[in-house]
Amino acid sequence: MSSMSPTPAEPSPSRTAAVIPAAGRGVRLGPGTPKALRALSGTPMLIHAVRAMAASRAVTLVVLVAPPDGAAEVKNLIDGHALPERTDYVVVPGGATRQESVKLGLDALPDDVSVVLVHDAARPLVPVDTVDAVIEAVRDGAPAVVPALPLADTVKEVEPGEPGSPEPVLSTPVRARLRAVQTPQGFDRDTLVRAHESVAVDGEGATDDAGMVERLGSPVVVVPGHEEAFKVTRPLDLVLAEAVLARRRANDGF
């Protein structure tokens, strides 16, 4: 009967949002344009990172945390590029540290978001299968999930010295137990909010959100990462990123 009130829609069991802190300058790539705005194949790295998150059908919102004085510039950047229409995009000004910026991104999330991804803008090429694997592990009950790869190199713990000077080796960790952590890292929202509210980090703040959750005593699990989720930090990484994009264009036929 048309006079009956419509049945309320069932709430989504776990809406997922991605927070991308992009307020840093990226000093290791040299002076000039902030790292997140450097172009890869003519498109800013930040746009590649946003598209990588939005490629997952589970991600319904991407929150970009811009430099404190650069929110308008980032908003114009987002408006000027084609992005999946099923995803919402919000730009908020960031803080002085990455930890502050992530917290400001969390503060901007709607109440119905229960799974949060935190992704480095400097990892523009992470494949969607990796994003989906992280989300699935959180939905399956893990409070915190990080994608990671086994190390190719043996690692030495040293006593740090002056740059360029010999440094004494303290130990050689067992490589089979070590992983190189990537992003997006995925979290149960309440767990990540609690970590940001209760874990105090000195100096520049936390650069690894999963590490903050570890300090809460909550479990963190690792899922397989991907070699294309590497961080673009040095000029050589830009060369590698361009090569990956060229290979993708050749494989996709455009």
Side-chain angles (χ1 to χ4, degrees):
M1 292 183 294
S2 59
S3 61
M4 290 180 62
S5 299
T7 304
E10 287 295 314
S12 170
S14 58
R15 189 175 175 210
T16 299
V19 174
I20 303 180
R25 301 292 307 180
V27 291
R28 277 173 290 182
L29 268 178
T33 307
K35 180 166 61 177
L37 304 185
R38 293 290 179 93
L40 288 178
S41 293
T43 300
M45 206 183 323
L46 179 59
I47 297 298
H48 287 285
V50 172
R51 286 174 175 163
M53 295 300 97
S56 171
R57 294 192 171 274
V59 174
T60 58
L61 170 67
V62 176
V63 177
L64 293 104
V65 189
D69 58 352
E73 181 183 3
V74 172
K75 178 76 167 61
N76 289 339
L77 199 68
I78 294 298
D79 291 343
H81 288 83
L83 297 167
E85 292 185 1
R86 66 172 181 273
T87 309
D88 292 328
Y89 305 91
V90 174
V91 178
V92 298
T97 67
R98 183 185 185 281
Q99 184 179 348
E100 286 179 26
S101 292
V102 172
K103 177 67 165 59
L104 290 165
L106 289 174
D107 291 344
L109 296 178
D111 291 341
D112 62 348
V113 169
S114 57
V115 177
V116 181
L117 303 178
V118 180
H119 184 57
D120 293 335
R123 297 183 190 271
L125 304 179
V126 57
V128 68
D129 289 352
T130 303
V131 181
D132 287 340
V134 170
I135 295 169
E136 187 174 344
V138 178
R139 287 181 170 176
D140 285 345
V145 179
V146 296
L149 292 176
L151 296 180
D153 299 316
T154 297
V155 173
K156 302 284 186 186
E157 182 187 3
V158 302
E159 183 64 50
E162 291 296 319
S165 64
E167 298 172 322
V169 170
L170 301 179
S171 68
T172 304
V174 178
R175 191 172 69 182
R177 294 172 62 94
L178 301 177
R179 298 291 181 269
V181 171
Q182 302 177 322
T183 70
Q185 298 184 357
F187 303 90
D188 164 72
R189 176 186 182 164
D190 292 341
T191 299
L192 184 57
V193 168
R194 199 165 78 250
H196 273 269
E197 289 175 345
S198 61
V199 175
V201 180
D202 297 330
E204 295 182 2
T207 57
D208 176 52
D209 295 276
M212 295 174 65
V213 172
E214 287 171 46
R215 290 170 65 168
L216 279 183
S218 293
V220 177
V221 301
V222 164
V223 298
H226 196 282
E227 61 182 4
E228 292 181 4
F230 63 91
K231 192 171 189 177
V232 178
T233 302
R234 301 154 301 184
L236 186 61
D237 300 324
L238 287 169
V239 176
L240 181 58
E242 292 285 5
V244 170
L245 286 170
R247 188 183 67 193
R248 287 183 182 179
R249 283 195 298 272
N251 291 343
D252 293 342
F254 68 85

